[in-house]
Amino acid sequence: AVMATKKGIEGEEQKVHRIRITLTSTKLQAVEKVCADLISGAKDKELHVKGPVRLPTKILRILTRKSPNGEGTNTFDRFQMRIHKRLIDLHAPSDVVKQITAISIEPGVEVEVTIADV
């Protein structure tokens, strides 16, 4: 039994949405910093917050020959890129979420906000 509405500042009722914020980046510290900023902003507004849920890191690997032609010893370069993903769930009106997500987001961090009605 979650409250379906929440009183606004002016006193009128606002519809509360289930909001999922997805953060993705190749830089771990940047994702964690944005995550902490979003959660502290939501807790300042006394919202119901779940997260951050740490999803498994995707590791993209490429193995390639160092030699441009086929000659020489068989030496290889191994490259990898790690993609870190975090989920944050909120129960809040949509205008409050706009205020929370208006913080400065680190470069290289992709933020996706999806809204589902309760």
Side-chain angles (χ1 to χ4, degrees):
V2 177
M3 288 191 330
T5 57
K6 192 169 190 172
K7 291 243 181 205
I9 298 166
E10 295 83 34
E12 80 273 357
E13 297 282 323
Q14 293 176 327
K15 193 163 197 299
V16 175
H17 300 286
R18 248 191 7 236
I19 292 151
R20 175 165 284 177
I21 301 171
T22 308
L23 305 170
T24 54
S25 177
T26 55
K27 300 178 184 117
L28 180 63
Q29 280 91 5
V31 170
E32 289 290 341
K33 184 178 183 305
V34 172
C35 214
D37 291 347
L38 284 173
I39 289 173
S40 65
K43 287 190 176 175
D44 288 345
K45 300 217 184 306
E46 297 175 5
L47 298 176
H48 185 261
V49 182
K50 281 187 181 176
V53 177
R54 290 166 176 87
L55 296 178
T57 303
K58 290 188 180 118
I59 302 176
L60 308 177
R61 291 189 175 99
I62 291 181
L63 181 72
T64 182
R65 281 282 301 268
K66 282 185 180 179
S67 171
N69 56 359
E71 296 178 18
T73 58
N74 296 342
T75 53
F76 291 88
D77 271 332
R78 292 185 291 268
F79 298 104
Q80 71 178 13
M81 181 168 74
R82 294 170 182 238
I83 298 171
H84 306 277
K85 197 169 186 179
R86 301 286 184 269
L87 288 181
I88 301 171
D89 285 330
L90 300 171
H91 290 282
S94 55
D95 60 329
V96 175
V97 173
K98 285 180 188 169
Q99 293 171 9
I100 293 169
T101 54
I103 62 162
S104 62
I105 292 167
E106 297 270 321
V109 178
E110 197 173 303
V111 178
E112 186 181 317
V113 180
T114 55
I115 298 174
D117 290 326
V118 177

